[in-house]
Structure formats: C-alpha cells, structure tokens
C-alpha cells in the first residue's frame, strides 16, 4: 500500500510530536521537577538563614545587655555589705571605723574553727588620713572584740579637685578649679574576729535589727 504525500507528511509530523513528548516525559520533566524541589529547598534555606541571622543579632544584643547589667550590678554592689555578716560586728565596725575614716565597705567571709575558737574573717575598705588609720587600729586593739589584723594595704589616694572663688575688680565672683595631691589613703584592712563557741547566745536580739534579717550570728 502506498501513502500519498499528504499522509507521509502527517505521519512525519506525528513521529516528531511523539519524539517531543517522549523527550519531555523521559528527559526534561524529571529535571524540571528536580529544579523545582531545589528551588524550594533554596528558598527554605534562605528563610532559615535569615531567621538564624536575626536570632544571632538578638543573642548578641542579649549578651551585651547581660554584660551591661553585670557591670551595673557590680557598681551598685560596691557599697553594699557582702558575704555572711554578723550583726553585732557589722554595727561595731560601722561605729568604730566611721569615726576616723570615709567611704566604708565591709565584707565577711565564712566562719571557720581554729582550735577552740571560731574565727570570722572580715575585709574593710576605707579612705582615711594616716592619723585616722592609726586611730582605727588603736580602736580595734582596745575594742570589745578579740580581733587580729591579717593584712593591711594602704596607698595614696588620687588627686583631689579644689574649687576656690574670688571677687574680681568688677565685683564678679569667679570660680577656679585646681588639683592637689590627696592627703587621704585608700586602705584595705583584713581582719579576723575570734570568740569561743557559744559566747553569743543563739537568741541574741539586737535593737537595730527589728523587722530585718541579717543572716544570724556568725559565732552562733
């Protein structure tokens, strides 16, 4: 059977269409689908990367805030009594040292047994003159507690600013500020207070501790 030219053309066109469909079905389509999957993964990775970068920025900011807060807490804690305090000794130090020094801070360590005695370490930081330091040491030596000086660091304080005022020829008051060497010492005084176990009754009441919790007696 012979085909006309028109039939041959139709058959040829049909074969071409079949070849194109087969090419699309077996070759192009898998690649297109794979490209769609990769594009979706890429988009998801970009979103995840963006979220992680934002989280990292937040973490960095939180870390900075944490550091700032720690510095602020350290600054605020400089003037606060730290450690395990003994109310009577705290008041005694406040009264004794404050009479001859300034800028006081006290900190107490954990008590320890030393033979038959109980020892309570305490650190006093203060600013005083040389004579004031001698008076503090004398007051401690003559005081009501058995106390030993275990360390003493004294260094010259920083320069001080002094403001003076005077009246000029026009009758105006003029202020001027100068610096001068400090006549004060920055002192760190390490002490140990001693007593026999039971010297201070566990039910001791202090007139200054009403409605406050001071941590109890250190020598209890």
């Amino acid at each position: 059977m012979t085909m006309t030219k028109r039939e041959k053309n139709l058959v040829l066109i049909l074969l071409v269409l079949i070849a194109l469909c087969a090419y699309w079905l077996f070759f192009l389509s898998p690649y297109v689908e794979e490209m769609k999957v990769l594009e979706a993964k890429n988009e998801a990775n970009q979103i995840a990367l963006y979220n992680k970068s934002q989280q990292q920025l937040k973490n960095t900011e939180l870390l900075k805030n944490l550091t700032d807060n720690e510095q602020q807490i350290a600054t605020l804690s400089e003037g606060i009594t730290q450690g395990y305090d003994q109310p009577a000794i705290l008041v005694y130090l406040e009264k004794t040292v404050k009479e001859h020094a300034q800028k006081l801070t006290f900190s107490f360590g954990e008590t320890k047994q030393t033979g038959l005695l109980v020892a309570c370490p305490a650190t006093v930081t203060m600013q005083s003159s040389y004579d004031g330091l001698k008076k503090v040491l004398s007051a401690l030596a003559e005081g009501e507690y058995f106390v030993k000086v275990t360390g003493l660091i004294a260094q010259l304080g920083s320069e001080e600013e002094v403001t003076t005022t005077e009246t000029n020829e026009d009758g105006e008051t003029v202020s001027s500020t100068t610096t001068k060497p400090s006549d004060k010492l920055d002192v760190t005084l390490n002490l140990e207070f001693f007593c026999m176990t039971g010297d201070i009754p566990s039910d001791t009441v202090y007139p200054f501790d009403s409605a406050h919790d001071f941590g109890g007696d250190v020598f209890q």
Side-chain angles (χ1 to χ4, degrees), residues 127 158-162 178-184:
Q127 189 179 73
S158 57
E159 291 185 342
E160 300 177 347
E161 290 188 351
V162 179
T178 57
T179 59
K180 69 171 186 177
S182 175
D183 59 350
K184 296 291 191 296

Side-chain angles (χ1 to χ4, degrees), residues 123-196:
T123 300
V124 179
T125 59
M126 61 186 183
Q127 189 179 73
S128 70
S129 64
Y130 177 61
D131 288 337
L133 175 58
K134 291 193 295 182
K135 290 178 180 178
V136 168
L137 294 175
S138 297
L140 291 173
E142 298 170 0
E144 58 186 290
Y145 290 98
F146 173 25
V147 58
K148 180 175 72 172
V149 177
T150 58
L152 174 61
I153 301 175
Q155 56 187 10
L156 190 62
S158 57
E159 291 185 342
E160 300 177 347
E161 290 188 351
V162 179
T163 302
T164 58
T165 59
E166 58 182 13
T167 305
N168 59 19
E169 297 177 355
D170 298 329
E172 297 177 346
T173 301
V174 180
S175 300
S176 60
T177 301
T178 57
T179 59
K180 69 171 186 177
S182 175
D183 59 350
K184 296 291 191 296
L185 297 173
D186 291 332
V187 180
T188 300
L189 188 61
N190 296 318
L191 307 171
E192 274 191 337
F193 288 86
F194 296 88
C195 82
M196 292 287 291

Side-chain angles (χ1 to χ4, degrees), residues 23-215:
Y23 179 72
W24 166 260
L25 183 62
F26 295 105
F27 293 97
L28 287 182
S29 181
Y31 287 111
V32 170
E33 293 299 325
E34 187 175 355
M35 286 177 61
K36 289 181 180 179
V37 172
L38 292 176
E39 287 176 354
K41 288 183 179 180
N42 186 43
E43 184 177 355
N45 290 336
Q46 288 180 349
I47 293 174
L49 178 61
Y50 174 79
N51 292 336
K52 288 183 179 180
S53 62
Q54 293 299 310
Q55 186 63 42
Q56 185 176 2
L57 291 176
K58 291 181 180 179
N59 291 341
T60 303
E61 184 177 356
L62 290 175
L63 182 60
K64 181 180 180 300
N65 291 338
L66 178 61
T67 303
D68 293 341
N69 290 338
E70 288 177 346
Q71 292 176 349
Q72 186 176 2
I73 290 172
T75 301
L76 293 174
S77 299
E78 288 180 355
I80 299 176
T81 302
Q82 300 175 6
Y84 188 88
D85 61 339
Q86 207 281 7
I89 292 179
L90 180 59
V91 173
Y92 169 73
L93 285 174
E94 175 76 14
K95 179 181 177 180
T96 303
V97 180
K98 192 173 184 179
E99 186 176 351
H100 309 291
Q102 303 171 341
K103 297 183 178 179
L104 309 178
T105 60
F106 308 110
S107 61
F108 295 84
E110 293 294 333
T111 57
K112 57 185 177 181
Q113 191 78 29
T114 305
L116 297 177
L117 299 178
V118 178
C120 171
T123 300
V124 179
T125 59
M126 61 186 183
Q127 189 179 73
S128 70
S129 64
Y130 177 61
D131 288 337
L133 175 58
K134 291 193 295 182
K135 290 178 180 178
V136 168
L137 294 175
S138 297
L140 291 173
E142 298 170 0
E144 58 186 290
Y145 290 98
F146 173 25
V147 58
K148 180 175 72 172
V149 177
T150 58
L152 174 61
I153 301 175
Q155 56 187 10
L156 190 62
S158 57
E159 291 185 342
E160 300 177 347
E161 290 188 351
V162 179
T163 302
T164 58
T165 59
E166 58 182 13
T167 305
N168 59 19
E169 297 177 355
D170 298 329
E172 297 177 346
T173 301
V174 180
S175 300
S176 60
T177 301
T178 57
T179 59
K180 69 171 186 177
S182 175
D183 59 350
K184 296 291 191 296
L185 297 173
D186 291 332
V187 180
T188 300
L189 188 61
N190 296 318
L191 307 171
E192 274 191 337
F193 288 86
F194 296 88
C195 82
M196 292 287 291
T197 303
D199 276 359
I200 302 177
S202 59
D203 58 350
T204 300
V205 177
Y206 302 98
F208 55 83
D209 69 351
S210 176
H212 296 282
D213 182 8
F214 290 88

